[in-house]
Amino acid sequence: MSKVKKIVVEGIPVSLTEIGNEDYICLTDMIKAKDGDFFISDWLRNVNTLEYLSAWETMNNPDFNYGEYAIIRQSSGTNTFKISVKEWVLKTNSIGITAQAGRYGGTYAHKDIAFNFGMWISPMFQLYIVKEYQRLKTIESDTLNLEWDIKRVLSKVNYHLHTDAILKHIIPKSTLPESKKGIEYAKEADLLNLALFGCTAKEWREANPAHAKNNLNVRDFASIHELNVMSNLQVFNSEMIKKDVSKTARYKILLKSAQEQLEQLKKIDILKAVRKQNSATYIEARNKTGDELEKLTSESILDKNKQALSDFNKKLKQGLNYNPKDEK
């Protein structure tokens, strides 16, 4: 079972987890909203419930045992009929409901089924749980989009500083044939990869052939913290290249720096730090593409820098006793 998340529905904490890339909601938590002594087996004995579960399994589970379901369905009309989740899963090979053991144990059901279960508890509760679930997915979606934008920008930051240093200080000294001097860029990129990820681009591709076929590389799977460190290493390596530091010495320094930076970044939630706090925090991202955001952000920074420089020059020309502290 993957990491358990929580939503609060009418004051009741309800657990969610992911099974096979699908969200499952804890029915054990949900039933706490129903007054009186009720059990999930009470819901399961309902004919409408069984028909709904059968329809869901038929649509989503090619291994559903419809023959066993027919036997259960036929017995459901009697007063003595009762079936547990464990029996239902065992007899029908159901995948829509599952019983989980451990710290966050309980009966979990696919979100479609959990919403149906919510209706059995009460129509109002069902509406609330759907609303809270949608709110959670919106938050997760916004966070993923934000993370994608941050990773996209970080992958570009300081890249040109690094390649420029290679072009001016390594390429001219390269002993490779003119047609192969471009390999020097790959060598330096791998120096950074080794320091940060512990492998070269080729080693990663060989270990991940499926991703390599889709032209993906190790940096595509790097965390925000790792890409932040990579950006810093590019600057660090650029300066050492300019100072003609040997590759062996540079590697040792880069490796130590990468380890130290990652250790410190573990203490920081970058996404939390950049989330929008108010309308003045950063550019409104809604309905804008990554390229548009990047352009707007860079323009904003450039405009502010130009304005600050212009104000400084004006005051300098006016012969004022300018003190930067006056701007605070």
Side-chain angles (χ1 to χ4, degrees):
M1 186 168 68
S2 64
K3 184 179 179 181
V4 172
K5 294 170 283 190
K6 295 276 187 180
I7 56 174
V8 179
V9 186
E10 292 191 295
I12 298 169
V14 178
S15 302
L16 292 89
T17 190
E18 190 175 286
I19 301 174
N21 296 321
E22 293 286 345
D23 287 329
Y24 279 63
I25 301 174
C26 185
L27 304 188
T28 307
D29 290 343
M30 289 174 63
I31 205 169
K32 295 173 185 176
K34 194 169 179 67
D35 293 331
D37 294 327
F38 291 93
F39 303 94
I40 296 170
S41 56
D42 295 326
W43 170 68
L44 272 176
R45 67 182 299 180
N46 186 288
V47 173
N48 291 332
T49 297
L50 294 174
E51 290 179 347
Y52 180 86
L53 293 176
S54 170
W56 189 92
E57 295 287 347
T58 301
M59 291 177 63
N60 298 280
N61 182 9
D63 297 321
F64 180 62
N65 192 328
Y66 198 84
E68 283 293 332
Y69 160 72
I71 296 172
I72 295 171
R73 171 67 177 80
Q74 189 175 12
S75 303
S76 63
T78 64
N79 292 332
T80 57
F81 172 75
K82 203 164 189 178
I83 186 169
S84 68
V85 170
K86 185 177 180 180
E87 289 174 316
W88 169 258
V89 173
L90 185 63
K91 290 180 178 180
T92 66
N93 199 32
S94 165
I95 61 171
I97 304 179
T98 180
Q100 300 283 353
R103 182 181 176 186
Y104 298 103
T107 298
Y108 284 78
H110 186 278
K111 63 180 185 296
D112 298 341
I113 297 171
F115 294 154
N116 178 273
F117 183 72
M119 182 64 76
W120 176 71
I121 292 174
S122 81
M124 186 62 72
F125 184 82
Q126 194 261 6
L127 290 171
Y128 274 122
I129 196 164
V130 170
K131 183 178 180 180
E132 284 303 308
Y133 175 79
Q134 290 174 336
R135 187 180 67 83
L136 173 67
K137 301 316 288 184
T138 297
I139 292 171
E140 289 180 346
S141 177
D142 288 346
T143 301
L144 286 172
N145 288 334
L146 178 58
E147 181 176 359
W148 184 87
D149 282 334
I150 292 173
K151 290 176 74 170
R152 183 175 179 274
V153 172
L154 283 175
S155 66
K156 291 183 177 181
V157 173
N158 299 325
Y159 169 78
H160 293 294
L161 287 175
H162 193 239
T163 55
D164 187 63
I166 297 168
L167 176 65
K168 293 179 179 178
H169 300 275
I170 290 180
I171 296 293
K173 299 176 184 178
S174 175
T175 58
L176 293 172
E178 196 65 34
S179 60
K180 294 185 178 181
K181 285 190 176 182
I183 294 175
E184 298 292 355
Y185 292 102
K187 288 182 178 179
E188 289 301 321
D190 270 339
L191 186 69
L192 301 182
N193 287 336
L194 278 169
L196 182 56
F197 304 117
C199 66
T200 65
K202 181 181 178 181
E203 288 170 343
W204 187 90
R205 288 194 302 270
E206 290 174 347
N208 300 274
H211 293 314
K213 285 181 181 178
N214 294 320
N215 295 319
L216 298 174
N217 60 59
V218 62
R219 299 189 190 189
D220 291 317
F221 293 87
S223 68
I224 290 179
H225 285 163
E226 288 170 332
L227 288 176
N228 190 21
V229 173
M230 177 60 73
S231 179
N232 293 337
L233 294 183
Q234 286 172 334
V235 176
F236 204 1
N237 197 39
S238 300
E239 292 305 310
M240 290 193 290
I241 287 173
K242 293 174 185 177
K243 292 178 170 54
D244 201 26
V245 179
S246 72
K247 182 175 284 189
T248 301
R250 283 191 282 119
Y251 172 72
K252 291 179 180 179
I253 295 170
L254 291 169
L255 178 62
K256 183 179 179 182
S257 177
Q259 292 171 342
E260 290 175 348
Q261 290 184 59
L262 286 174
E263 187 61 33
Q264 290 300 314
L265 286 172
K266 285 180 183 178
K267 306 171 185 177
I268 301 172
D269 182 350
I270 293 180
L271 284 177
K272 185 177 180 180
V274 299
R275 285 189 188 119
K276 191 175 183 70
Q277 301 299 316
N278 56 61
S279 59
T281 305
Y282 56 79
I283 295 169
E284 179 59 57
R286 192 179 298 276
N287 298 325
K288 288 185 172 63
T289 65
D291 286 330
E292 289 171 337
L293 283 171
E294 192 173 332
K295 186 172 183 291
L296 284 169
T297 305
S298 61
E299 285 179 351
S300 175
I301 293 171
L302 288 172
D303 289 342
K304 288 178 181 178
N305 288 342
K306 289 176 182 177
Q307 186 62 48
L309 183 60
S310 175
D311 292 343
F312 176 81
N313 287 331
K314 285 179 182 177
K315 291 183 178 182
L316 195 62
K317 288 179 181 178
Q318 293 170 358
L320 298 177
N321 184 18
Y322 179 69
N323 186 342
K325 292 182 180 179
D326 294 337
E327 299 296 320
K328 296 182 180 180

